[in-house]
Every structure is written in structure tokens, then in C-alpha cells.
Amino acid sequence: MSALLEIVGLTKSFGGLAVVEDVSFRLQEGARLALIGPNGAGKTTIFNLLCGVYPVSAGSVMFDGVDITAMPSRRRIGVGLARSFQNIRLMPHLSVTENVMLGQQARASGLRALLSPLRGSRWKTEADERLAAFGLAPYRDRLVSDLPYGIRKKIEIVRAMMAAPRVLLLDEPAAGLNPRETAELQEILASIAAEGVALLVIEHDMGLVRGLCPHCVVLNFGRKIYDGPTADVQRDDAVLEAYLGPRDSVHVETAHVA
Ligand SMILES: Nc1ncnc2c1ncn2[C@@H]1O[C@H](COP(=O)(O)OP(=O)(O)O)[C@@H](O)[C@H]1O
Ligand SMILES: [Mg+2]
């Protein structure tokens, strides 16, 4: 079966140093895949390559059978790749609804369409519906700068959904969330996946990874060291060594992966 998103031999060097090296993996339509690995392993760089923030040094990115390796980043959102960021990128001086509406820019023809009263009201309705579906209706008219971190994180995800993506890239969505907020996030992401949106999730919280993603890819020093079922990752020798170092007396039970 051909994958919705396929990266082949992806390599990225900064100043002669490879931070992503010959990485290949596939994400099937509607699937949920985690991308994990120690800090500095190259995970966020892979997202930046997928989104066209950086040009690749080598390798290719295929989306639905089309080579998008050299496609400008703005057009990638249009074909169905959306992203939420490791650090929140909302407009603090705009309301929650306005921030979410900005997420559909890729679908409309830019800011002009957003500002046209007719189109604008359609996007506003959709934004408010999506906010309500995520339990965020009470915050609609609030300024983002007034809201707690956990709420802003959810709003970022709602905004990414406004681009009507086929793949949603999430960079550490649970970072900074407490256990209750993380459980709510997992529900939200599961409902997005149930809509048929494929998820590629960078995450350190292995509870969330296990709950959401049946498969994972592990990176270490820019290279792929594991690609398989999440249920087996904590028993994999290469993964244990990446996290714990080469030691003789590693107890699997104590290994905290990610
Ligand atoms: N724009 C950049 N210029 C130079 N080095 C970078 C740049 N972006 C990332 N790196 C380096 O690439 C490596 C991988 O970073 P990153 O992809 O952010 O890791 P991760 O998300 O897995 O923690 C790090 O050593 C980081 O310093
Ligand atoms: Mg990162």
C-alpha cells in the first residue's frame, strides 16, 4: 500500500554537521505514528524539513504520491500538511476565535478572503464549532494572552485543524501539561484521528504515546534506530542504549524511554 506521507533518505546538515541522517519512514492514511528520541536527536528538524522551513540536504518527501521535497512551505499546508508548534505561536492580542480563524488561511486565498465579511462569517462559524467540540467555547472571546498555557496549547491544535489537514504534525503537544490536561489532550487527538486525519507526534510522554500511537520511530543522533510497534520499543536494545548508555546492568523496568 502506498503511504500518505513517505520520507526517503532524509538528510539535513548545518555547517557540515548532519543532524538528520538518511532517515526513512512512512505514515499511512489515517494512521498515528510517534517520533521519539532524546533531546537533540533531530525530531523537530524533521518537522521543519517536512514543512519546508529548511531545504533538505538529501533525500525526498512524498505526499500522496507527489514529490513535495522542493514545494514552498505555504503550499504544503494547502495540500494537507498542518503543524502545531513546540512553542505556542498564537497571536496574543487577538481573541481565541480570531486566532483559530487564522488557521484556515491556507484554504482560502489569504488574508483578503479572511477579511471579506461573507467568507469571514463562514470561517467564524467553523472556528466556533471546532472550539465547542474541544470544550473551548467558554474562551471564544477572550484574548489569548489572558489564558493559561494548557488552554493555549489546545487552541493551537484547533487552529491547525482549520487548515483541514490530512496529516497533523504535533511537536511535543503534552509538554508543560499536567496529567489531567494530558488526558484531555489525548482525547482530543483521538477524536481528530477518528475524523481520518493522520497524526505524526513528537512526544516525550510515553503514556500519551502508548495511548495514541500503535507505531513509533525512534531517532538518536539524527539516525533512525527503531521503527515498529510502540508496545515493543522499551524492550529494544538499541533504544535502551540510546537512552541509558551502554551498560551491562540495565533493568528494562527502570528504562524511561523518551
Ligand atoms: N537552524 C539550526 N542551525 C544549526 N543547528 C541546528 C538548527 N536547528 C537544529 N539544529 C541542531 O540540530 C540538532 C537537532 O535539533 P532538533 O531537531 O531541534 O532536536 P530535537 O527536536 O530532537 O530535540 C541539535 O543539535 C540542534 O542544535
Ligand atoms: Mg524538538
Side-chain angles (χ1 to χ4, degrees):
M1 187 168 53
S2 79
L4 178 58
L5 181 68
E6 177 166 18
I7 71 175
V8 183
L10 204 63
T11 298
K12 180 66 187 176
S13 303
F14 291 110
L17 188 73
V19 301
V20 172
E21 210 169 348
D22 196 23
V23 172
S24 303
F25 61 82
R26 307 161 131 231
L27 177 68
Q28 303 293 345
E29 180 112 44
R32 291 154 287 144
L33 178 69
L35 185 56
I36 65 180
N39 281 330
K43 306 179 297 294
T44 297
T45 301
I46 287 184
F47 273 22
N48 284 327
L49 297 172
L50 292 178
C51 294
V53 175
Y54 303 136
V56 309
S57 301
S60 61
V61 180
M62 305 291 291
F63 187 85
D64 203 11
V66 176
D67 188 332
I68 63 164
T69 315
M71 184 183 274
S73 62
R74 196 185 152 70
R75 280 190 48 214
R76 298 185 196 210
I77 306 169
V79 300
L81 260 173
R83 165 183 207 176
S84 88
F85 287 88
Q86 187 167 5
N87 302 306
I88 288 172
R89 299 205 180 176
L90 298 171
M91 307 276 207
H93 55 286
L94 294 182
S95 76
V96 169
T97 296
E98 285 164 340
N99 266 280
V100 171
M101 286 169 71
L102 285 173
Q104 59 64 52
Q105 272 187 66
R107 268 197 293 166
S109 37
L111 207 54
R112 189 180 299 167
L114 183 69
L115 295 176
S116 100
L118 198 69
R119 293 264 193 94
S121 80
R122 173 149 69 87
W123 299 128
K124 182 175 184 318
T125 304
E126 182 176 335
D128 284 341
E129 281 170 4
R130 288 193 178 275
L131 285 165
F134 287 7
L136 295 169
Y139 303 103
R140 283 193 313 219
D141 300 322
R142 301 273 300 274
L143 289 185
V144 161
S145 53
D146 294 341
L147 296 174
Y149 183 81
I151 301 292
R152 283 188 278 141
K153 275 247 142 140
K154 288 186 192 169
I155 294 166
E156 251 237 21
I157 295 169
V158 184
R159 182 176 65 173
M161 286 300 293
M162 286 294 285
R166 294 173 69 190
V167 175
L168 183 57
L169 309 177
L170 297 143
D171 195 345
E172 301 196 19
L177 302 187
N178 64 35
R180 184 181 51 78
E181 290 168 330
T182 303
E184 289 170 6
L185 174 77
Q186 186 174 325
E187 263 181 47
I188 286 173
L189 296 180
S191 75
I192 289 172
E195 283 183 40
V197 178
L199 302 178
L200 180 59
V201 187
I202 296 173
E203 185 50 63
H204 288 289
D205 182 325
M206 282 307 289
L208 179 64
V209 168
R210 273 191 296 271
L212 197 64
C213 301
H215 289 91
C216 69
V217 165
V218 184
L219 290 184
N220 193 32
F221 295 116
R223 288 192 162 270
K224 186 174 84 170
I225 59 168
Y226 181 87
D227 188 343
T230 304
D232 299 337
V233 70
Q234 274 158 309
R235 286 195 291 274
D236 185 88
D237 285 341
V239 174
L240 288 174
E241 189 168 321
Y243 280 93
L244 301 170
R247 274 184 280 166
D248 297 332
S249 55
V250 166
H251 294 289
V252 173
E253 295 86 340
T254 62
H256 173 73
V257 173

